[in-house]
Amino acid sequence: MTMLLVPRDENELLLVSSLLEGAGIAYFVQNEHFGGLYPGLNLFPFNERIIFVAEPDLDRASLLLRDFLEAVEGTPEADQAG
C-alpha cells in the first residue's frame, strides 16, 4: 500500500473515500476509527488519518484526487465572468 493523502478533516476524508469507492479503487484508512470523539485535534501520529491505496491503483487514484482537489480549492470561472 502507498500513501495517497492525509485529509485535512473528517469531511475531506468522507468525500475522498466516496470518490475512491465510486471509482472501484480499494483503499485503507490508517487510524480510521481512532480518536474520533474529539474531531479537529490531530495528535500526530496517534489519530492522524492517512489514506493508502494499492501501488497499481496509485496513478488512477492520484488523478481522481487531483481533479477533486482542484475543483474544491479553485474558484468557479462562471462566477467570475458574470
Side-chain angles (χ1 to χ4, degrees):
M1 300 294 271
T2 305
M3 186 178 82
L4 177 66
L5 175 74
V6 177
R8 291 176 280 203
D9 55 25
E10 291 294 317
N11 294 328
E12 188 172 83
L13 173 64
L14 291 173
L15 286 169
V16 171
S17 298
S18 295
L19 285 172
L20 293 172
E21 284 179 22
I25 299 173
Y27 67 94
F28 169 75
V29 179
Q30 180 179 331
N31 296 327
E32 183 174 15
H33 302 290
F34 181 78
L37 184 59
Y38 300 108
L41 180 61
N42 282 332
L43 302 173
F44 179 78
F46 298 111
N47 68 344
E48 182 176 52
R49 277 84 168 160
I50 303 173
I51 301 174
F52 291 90
V53 295
E55 185 71 36
D57 292 328
L58 182 60
D59 290 336
R60 201 164 56 110
S62 296
L63 182 62
L64 181 70
L65 191 63
R66 185 193 71 194
D67 290 343
F68 166 72
L69 291 175
E70 284 178 359
V72 169
E73 294 173 358
T75 57
E77 294 177 15
D79 289 344
Q80 292 177 358

